[in-house]
Amino acid sequence: MESLTSRMQAVQSPIIPVVGELIKNSPGTISLGQGVVSYNPPHEAIEFLAKFLAEPANNLYKSVEGIPPLLTALVGKLQAFNGIEINQENCIVVTAGSNMGFMNAILAITNPGDEIILNTPYYFNHEMAIAMAGCRSVLVATDENYQLRKEAIAQAITPKTRAVVTISPNNPTGVVYSEAVLRQVNQICANRSIYHISDEAYEYFTYNGIKHISPGAFGNSSEYTISLYSLSKAYGFASWRIGYMVIPKHLLVAVKKVQDTILICPPVISQYAALGALQAKEEYLKSNIGAIAQVRQLVLDSLNRLQGLCSIIPANGAFYFLLKVHTQMDAFELVKRLIQEHKVAVIPGTTFGMDDGCYLRVAYGALQKETVKEGIERLVQGLETIVRS
């Protein structure tokens, strides 16, 4: 059969499976690649599976936007943690992870050829979703500390712009945006009648006393702010595929069309598990994220040995550092050599839109105090050996 072409040829291939194949071919590799945590869901999540199994009708399709008990629990969580009130102007839609929430949003607010502003480095699945929708990513560089440049964002808006995307805490840099700059971006979107898509998948992962800020809590922002959340990170829920979005009420019909077509409804068994997870005591998040904070400090201490070889920007959120390696080497070639020669895996910055140098994303969420020393030591020694050779 003759080879067919499609819109997917314009979409970059996801990097995680590519690096995963390299890891598979190099047994014993420690991965600092994929953004996952080392701990399991709370026991309350597992206990709620019995409630799912006890209801015979749970094998049937359920509401497109989520089961009522979970929606009610999320109303409380959003009010208590994010300062977002669910009212007549907005609503919650449960999704199969926050990536699906982003895809729902893009398809709901755009026509082919429209533009979405991404701040670089961007999250690669965002850029991929925009391309799949037949839209164009307009890239706006962040400053030398990976912070937003509000003037540059404003200048990038055209009549075809439909949204500005922010991610805080950020993937891949780990930086957290201040309330002041998020308010400014939110106001730019309001003034220009475009949407502010706020990805907050790492909302609980902040350090050194930094507080997470949700743009959806800003006054009168319900009409144009789309907020995306996930249980994948904080609750160890990666494979359960549960996220949720807070959207303006006027987008509900469009979002439900998308979700019903692609998914029908989020997996109901996973929604029960999510409902259970939200019942977990505060100590669950506090202790697990506290352990990641300790790992973070060990990683930072080790990476600081690379001063002069790499630029390491301070980052007070998520579980990533983005290194700029002072070399002319191609980032993916460096990643391959680190895996094959030093058995440590990271992600090349090119997949996040960073092609003006050699960047590596280091993920430490899956590490524990027992494994972090070996993994980071391999990375440090590998970079010293390869780059200085």
Side-chain angles (χ1 to χ4, degrees):
M1 183 176 178
E2 188 176 322
S3 177
L4 298 176
T5 60
S6 80
R7 71 181 68 195
M8 299 310 295
Q9 288 184 302
V11 179
Q12 68 165 302
S13 295
I15 191 67
I16 298 298
V18 175
V19 173
E21 192 64 25
L22 291 171
I23 293 172
K24 189 169 123 183
N25 294 330
S26 187
T29 296
I30 295 176
S31 178
L32 310 178
Q34 195 162 26
V36 293
V37 296
S38 63
Y39 55 87
N40 294 321
H43 65 84
E44 290 89 346
I46 309 306
E47 289 173 354
F48 265 62
L49 299 183
K51 296 180 182 292
F52 168 83
L53 295 169
E55 174 51 63
N58 275 339
N59 63 305
L60 302 175
Y61 295 127
K62 299 298 179 183
S63 172
V64 173
E65 62 262 50
I67 59 174
L70 180 54
L71 292 172
T72 298
L74 291 172
V75 168
K77 177 268 177 184
L78 287 162
Q79 178 72 63
F81 185 80
N82 304 94
I84 295 176
E85 179 186 355
I86 301 301
N87 50 41
Q88 297 302 310
E89 297 178 355
N90 60 9
C91 57
I92 304 168
V93 176
V94 180
T95 59
S98 62
N99 272 4
M100 183 170 192
F102 187 83
M103 191 83 238
N104 285 351
I106 294 301
L107 291 173
I109 67 174
T110 65
N111 289 308
D114 284 344
E115 297 174 349
I116 305 292
I117 292 176
L118 298 181
N119 297 280
T120 57
Y122 52 66
Y123 172 45
F124 54 85
N125 281 137
H126 287 174
E127 191 269 345
M128 292 166 68
I130 292 163
M132 285 181 195
C135 297
R136 189 171 81 89
S137 297
V138 174
L139 307 183
V140 175
T142 50
D143 69 15
E144 64 276 8
N145 292 315
Y146 303 131
Q147 291 292 329
L148 299 176
R149 296 162 58 234
K150 61 183 186 299
E151 296 86 358
I153 292 171
Q155 289 172 4
I157 295 172
T158 75
K160 288 190 173 183
T161 305
R162 294 293 171 262
V164 175
V165 179
T166 61
I167 310 170
S168 183
N170 188 262
N171 176 12
T173 66
V175 303
V176 181
Y177 303 143
S178 69
E179 178 174 353
V181 75
L182 286 171
R183 282 188 179 276
Q184 289 164 343
V185 172
N186 205 249
Q187 191 60 52
I188 289 169
C189 292
N191 294 345
R192 304 293 284 272
S193 297
I194 60 177
Y195 293 98
H196 180 182
I197 302 177
S198 174
D199 186 331
E200 303 173 39
Y202 299 89
E203 57 183 329
Y204 291 105
F205 296 89
T206 58
Y207 315 104
N208 298 322
I210 301 296
K211 185 177 181 297
H212 173 68
I213 301 297
S214 295
F218 300 156
N220 302 317
S221 67
S222 295
E223 187 179 348
Y224 55 87
T225 305
I226 298 170
S227 305
L228 306 178
Y229 301 97
S230 173
L231 272 71
S232 293
K233 312 303 180 182
Y235 288 96
F237 249 59
S239 71
W240 290 89
R241 306 313 305 137
I242 291 292
Y244 53 101
M245 54 196 308
V246 179
I247 60 174
K249 198 67 168 281
H250 65 257
L251 289 178
L252 180 59
V253 171
V255 166
K256 286 175 69 173
K257 287 179 182 179
V258 178
Q259 182 138 303
D260 185 74
T261 301
I262 297 173
L263 186 67
I264 298 182
C265 65
V268 178
I269 190 168
S270 295
Q271 292 191 67
Y272 269 78
L275 182 57
L278 293 174
Q279 317 301 313
K281 294 182 173 58
E282 188 178 327
E283 181 58 28
Y284 170 80
L285 289 176
K286 186 176 180 182
S287 62
N288 282 310
I289 293 173
I292 287 182
Q294 293 179 334
V295 168
R296 172 186 174 275
Q297 191 56 53
L298 292 171
V299 170
L300 193 55
D301 291 345
S302 294
L303 291 179
N304 280 333
R305 289 164 45 197
L306 294 171
Q307 295 288 352
L309 196 67
C310 299
S311 296
I312 305 162
I313 301 301
N316 286 311
F319 35 74
Y320 306 112
F321 289 110
L322 188 66
L323 308 184
K324 182 174 184 180
V325 187
H326 302 154
T327 177
Q328 298 301 311
M329 187 180 299
D330 174 74
F332 187 65
E333 182 61 31
L334 179 54
V335 167
K336 284 198 292 186
R337 289 190 60 184
L338 285 168
I339 294 172
Q340 293 164 354
E341 299 171 19
H342 297 273
K343 294 192 180 300
V344 62
V346 290
I347 302 296
T350 44
T351 201
F352 305 101
M354 302 299 281
D355 53 11
D356 62 338
C358 184
Y359 295 83
L360 303 175
R361 189 191 75 173
V362 179
Y364 55 86
L367 300 177
Q368 296 176 309
K369 290 179 77 172
E370 301 76 35
T371 56
V372 62
K373 185 175 180 181
E374 176 66 19
I376 295 300
E377 190 63 28
R378 290 184 191 182
L379 177 62
V380 170
Q381 289 188 358
L383 287 173
E384 289 178 334
T385 301
I386 296 169
V387 176
R388 288 188 170 139
S389 63

